[in-house]
Amino acid sequence: MTIALEIKDLHVEISDKEILKGVSLNIEHGEMAAIMGPNGAGKSTLASVLAGKEGYTITSGSIKYLGKNLLDMPIDERAAAGVFLAFQYPVEIPGVATSAFVRTALNAQRRHRGESELDGIEFLKLAREKAKELEMSEDFFQREVNVGFSGGEKKRAEIFQMSMLSPTLAILDETDSGLDIDTLKIVAAGINNLRSDKLCGIVITHYQRLLEHLKPDTIHILADGKIVKTGDKSLAILLEEKGYQGIIEAA
Amino acid sequence: MTNSSNIKNRYYQSYNDNQSLLPGLELSWIKRLRDDAITQFNQDGFPDKNVEEWNVHPCKGLSDTFYDPCQENNYEIDVKSIEKKDSNCLIRVIFLNGKVINIEHDTLPAGIKVNTLSFYLKNNPEFLKGKIKSANEYSEVRLSNIIDSRPQSIVALNTAFHEDGAIIHIDKNIEVPGFIELLHLGECEENTMKHIRSVIFLDKASKCEVLENIKQHKNNNVVFTSNVTDVHVSEGASLSFVRFIEGNSKNLHINNVHVQLDKDSKFISTSLINSKGQARAETRVNLLGENSSSKINILMMGTNNSLQESLTKVKHSTKNTKSDQIIRIILDENSRGSFQGKIRVDVGADGTLANMSGKSLLLSDNARVNSKPELEILADDVRCSHGVTVGSLNAEQLFYLRSRGIPENEARKLLINSFGNVIINNISTNLAKRAKNLMLEDSNKND
Ligand SMILES: Nc1ncnc2c1ncn2[C@@H]1O[C@H](COP(=O)(O)OP(=O)(O)OP(=O)(O)O)[C@@H](O)[C@H]1O
Ligand SMILES: [Mg+2]
């Protein structure tokens, strides 16, 4: 298999404070990678930098996705190129209906890729299908984006957006937090449905449970702005036993 | 003699010189109405920054230029060239340069009377008596009980010089199917002034929707227009009123609506103000009857060097009345916006419920907004709330939208629209589609 995402010695600062201190990470086509690590380690920072959020200073290093320099691309172009971030804290947008938002996004991406836009009927058909897979009621199509959604509903809506947009690089930032056991299963199945030899996944989590469903190929421990250990799923089990401190010390 | 008092005198002179142009002067009560008004104007002049209603942007451009109120306009327009009447529109009155040029309607059910002011002055002047108020009736009563006519100088000028208007009279128990549109078109000579005086009278338990649609002038001459509308909503009646005000960079428009609400009546209004020049909309509501209610929604949008202003005065005069105000201001580039909103609860007006929410969205560092909410509460048992905020586009929201592939421009537009949606989505049924289309036309024009 070939490398799809290549992060090389990435250093990132926020307001003069270095958060990522030389992250290197390669992900192959079809690979599902998990990133675990203590609170404040920089996991969400890495996810945001991948998606293109402003306000970070990249002091050195590079990110290449499918041969292109990701850091040079505007946020929306990254999305059109297949990057999707499921937010740790999904943002509320009052006054915008969920279905209108997702349709605008999907058609913008299609336009950017030179594909034809979906009309209202085609869109609704697709949306219904995906909502059903995720066992979501269609009521939420008309609801304002994330407004008044429960924590679990917000996370499920992120996965709904992901399956509508069918990305090739999916970054899931603590999508499992706040989900009850049944919902976690549904969401995991939703993610697994998208898996293909094209999809690269980065799953950020604190818990073993989601990983049991997703069976990641690799697990990386990010601590204090660096990947300190990489392994397979046995690393997650070791982690449950020893905690981060034990692993970081051993590393 | 200073320039501004010199200009004031020219209006007085013009009034005396052009009496033949002003309809109704042969009627003694109309003559008194007009004479009193010009006298009041001559006394007060244009309001300056010492008048609290005008102290943010004191009548920019008015006090130093003479706008001829009696200039004849030779422009003509082919009625057929005007876009067709909306399918939900029952009656459309078309004004050109301050005069009605056409009234078109579908088959009219009984009990709906719509005609021009000049028609009534000629054929049935008695009908208008008391419906067109004299200028001093709208003076401000200050907390000190001083009666202050200065803020209403433009209304006085309008009362003196109005040439035409629309008279809408809905009989008892009549529910008007579809809305009534007052379409105002213009193409005037340089430095002219046009005054329109309209009346909306809803008899008991009637229901009506009215759109006042003020278009930007076709040519680029400096023009001042003033529309004053006297509204009376009788017991149990309900009026939905939408004002759409646009203008080009040379247009200066001042719009005054005075509403009197009887027992159990309702007034629901939406003002969409989007002028490239100067526009000022004043809404004064007097809740005179028990259980009457008023809703005032205002959306102002500014670009370039435009100035949009809005003033509301809601007066709770009796027990158990209710008012709501939602104001949204979106300003880009060098535009200016101001909102002054006053809620007054009179002595004895217990059980009053009054809310006001004002939010402004600044899209550029050079845009400026001024919000001034005021409460004057003289009763005890009252629930009032008001809040104003000013902000810019939310960076987290923008990032979220863009991370889904929505280009920055489109994402900004989506957020800007969502900010105004609370106003747009609250427009009454028959008018909703029309208002949305007008907004759309306008935003495309601005691209
Ligand atoms: N805007 C900001 N300004 C200053 N510091 C910030 C900012 N955003 C993040 N940080 C800091 O950067 C560090 C990394 O934050 P990040 O959110 O990436 O951690 P994380 O690994 O995702 O943690 P968690 O597991 O708690 O979600 C933290 O110390 C955080 O306080
Ligand atoms: Mg995080």
Side-chain angles (χ1 to χ4, degrees), chain B residues 35-316:
Chain B
D35 285 352
D36 289 352
I38 196 69
T39 307
Q40 181 181 322
F41 174 77
N42 202 35
Q43 215 171 58
D44 294 336
F46 288 107
D48 58 21
K49 64 181 189 321
N50 297 319
V51 180
E52 68 171 73
E53 283 79 0
W54 292 85
N55 63 7
V56 184
H57 299 283
C59 245
K60 248 166 84 183
L62 265 184
S63 48
D64 52 8
T65 310
F66 175 71
Y67 297 82
D68 192 341
C70 299
Q71 169 75 43
E72 283 293 331
N73 288 289
N74 297 316
Y75 297 103
E76 273 176 24
I77 192 166
D78 180 6
V79 175
K80 286 193 212 81
S81 70
I82 302 167
E83 65 164 330
K84 276 189 33 205
K85 183 164 80 60
D86 186 274
S87 59
N88 285 325
C89 176
L90 181 72
I91 307 169
R92 181 164 75 168
V93 183
I94 303 175
F95 290 80
L96 177 67
N97 298 333
K99 281 187 187 141
V100 176
I101 54 163
N102 193 39
I103 301 181
E104 45 184 340
H105 55 79
D106 304 337
T107 339
L108 280 190
I112 301 171
K113 297 185 200 94
V114 176
N115 216 319
T116 65
L117 178 78
S118 36
F119 172 88
Y120 275 103
L121 284 174
K122 214 182 281 160
N123 299 296
N124 189 3
E126 282 307 301
F127 185 78
L128 295 175
K129 239 184 174 170
K131 291 195 174 83
I132 300 175
K133 303 273 198 274
S134 68
N136 64 15
E137 275 195 52
Y138 293 127
S139 296
E140 292 297 333
V141 182
R142 302 291 179 206
L143 272 179
S144 57
N145 276 329
I146 287 175
I147 293 174
D148 190 354
S149 60
R150 294 173 307 161
Q152 296 285 33
S153 259
I154 308 297
V155 173
L157 207 56
N158 178 292
T159 309
F161 283 110
H162 65 270
E163 285 177 82
D164 207 351
I167 309 296
I168 298 173
H169 187 283
I170 312 300
D171 282 354
K172 243 185 244 174
N173 300 319
I174 298 293
E175 190 167 323
V176 180
F179 64 88
I180 298 169
E181 175 164 349
L182 311 178
L183 175 64
H184 297 272
L185 305 172
E187 191 176 18
C188 283
E189 300 289 350
E190 180 81 358
N191 289 337
T192 51
M193 178 183 254
K194 286 291 154 202
H195 292 279
I196 293 174
R197 189 65 175 247
S198 295
V199 171
I200 302 173
F201 185 92
L202 269 62
D203 211 336
K204 286 181 185 167
S206 63
K207 227 176 152 179
C208 183
E209 294 173 46
V210 177
L211 168 67
E212 185 180 28
N213 187 5
I214 297 157
K215 294 292 196 188
Q216 65 177 25
H217 279 217
K218 240 171 114 183
N219 54 0
N220 250 332
N221 287 337
V222 178
V223 177
F224 167 62
T225 53
S226 134
N227 287 22
V228 176
T229 309
D230 300 271
V231 177
H232 187 147
V233 188
S234 307
E235 187 177 333
S238 153
L239 173 68
S240 285
F241 182 71
V242 172
R243 256 186 300 190
F244 187 87
I245 303 173
E246 60 163 37
N248 67 37
S249 62
K250 299 290 180 58
N251 292 158
L252 164 52
H253 179 75
I254 299 183
N255 193 294
N256 292 70
V257 174
H258 299 106
V259 186
Q260 178 182 327
L261 293 176
D262 292 350
K263 205 176 150 209
D264 298 322
S265 68
K266 275 200 180 84
F267 174 66
I268 304 142
S269 79
T270 305
S271 303
L272 306 166
I273 310 167
N274 187 5
S275 170
K276 292 183 205 70
Q278 285 187 57
R280 178 179 167 104
E282 302 193 351
T283 315
R284 287 177 170 79
V285 176
N286 192 351
L287 296 128
L288 271 172
E290 264 192 68
N291 296 317
S292 53
S293 71
S294 152
K295 214 176 229 174
I296 301 173
N297 293 336
I298 299 169
L299 176 59
M300 296 191 264
M301 287 156 291
T303 52
N304 289 318
N305 294 306
S306 68
L307 167 61
Q308 333 276 327
E309 286 186 280
S310 192
L311 175 122
T312 65
K313 298 240 172 177
V314 175
K315 188 167 179 289
H316 293 262

Side-chain angles (χ1 to χ4, degrees), chain A residues 43-45 88-89 173-174 204 206:
Chain A
K43 304 181 295 299
S44 294
T45 303
Q88 181 173 2
Y89 305 107
D173 193 355
E174 295 197 26
I204 298 169
H206 289 293

Side-chain angles (χ1 to χ4, degrees), chain A residues 53-54 75-76 79 84-85 87 91-92 94-96 101 104-105 108-109 111 146 158 161, chain B residues 394 396-408 410 414-415 417-419 421 425:
Chain A
K53 190 171 181 179
E54 281 145 13
I75 304 165
D76 43 287
F84 180 91
L85 169 62
F87 283 54
V91 179
E92 298 185 4
V96 178
F101 159 57
T104 307
Q109 290 199 16
R111 229 172 23 239
N146 292 321
E158 292 289 287
Q161 291 176 33
Chain B
N394 182 305
E396 290 289 325
Q397 293 179 335
L398 209 50
F399 172 55
Y400 190 69
L401 294 172
R402 293 185 69 197
S403 79
R404 296 319 186 225
I406 302 174
E408 185 170 7
E410 221 177 312
L414 206 64
L415 290 178
N417 287 342
S418 73
F419 183 83
N421 271 350
N425 292 337

